[in-house]
Amino acid sequence: MPRIPAVHPPARKTHDRKWWCPALIALSVVASLYLPAFSLLGFATMATDSCGPDSCPDSVMVPLKSAPYLYLTGAGLALLSCVFPWNLRWRTPRIALAIAGAAVSASVVPLLLTVFF
């Protein structure tokens, strides 16, 4: 009769050697969008010169108010992907969070382009 161990050996936590890749890629995307996004924000605020901030339509003011928050939220999500534990179990959430952060920050450019058209 085979002998069955009474206690299972502890599960070995394997370290993810490339834990930094998703966060680095997402942060490089966010950093490369900084100049285009905030130059568009600067030019888009000039679109409100004719109507003033109080009487502009919502189609102009909502993108202008939400763009900096979207950009900072994306950068925060990309940075948060670094904080997840560095074992293999957390690889998928880390990648998903980095992709979400890059996507949220990348949505600022088309959002600001709607002000011009």
Side-chain angles (χ1 to χ4, degrees):
M1 174 133 133
R3 187 172 177 213
I4 301 173
V7 178
H8 295 288
R12 185 174 163 223
K13 293 182 180 178
T14 56
H15 181 71
D16 189 8
R17 293 183 188 156
K18 304 214 180 205
W19 64 269
W20 50 271
C21 285
L24 181 69
I25 293 169
L27 287 173
S28 64
V29 168
V30 170
S32 68
L33 288 172
Y34 178 77
L35 195 59
F38 282 104
S39 63
L40 275 175
L41 182 65
F43 287 121
T45 54
M46 285 187 243
T48 63
D49 285 345
S50 62
C51 58
D54 297 329
S55 61
C56 279
D58 286 340
S59 63
V60 173
M61 293 308 294
V62 169
L64 290 178
K65 290 180 181 177
S66 62
Y69 296 113
L70 276 174
Y71 185 82
L72 291 175
T73 301
L77 288 175
L79 281 173
L80 188 63
S81 67
C82 294
V83 179
F84 272 69
W86 299 344
N87 52 11
L88 286 172
R89 177 180 168 209
W90 291 95
R91 178 184 282 175
T92 304
R94 192 170 35 248
I95 291 171
L97 200 59
I99 290 172
V104 168
S105 288
S107 69
V108 170
V109 174
L111 178 71
L112 290 173
L113 285 175
T114 62
V115 175
F116 294 114
F117 299 111

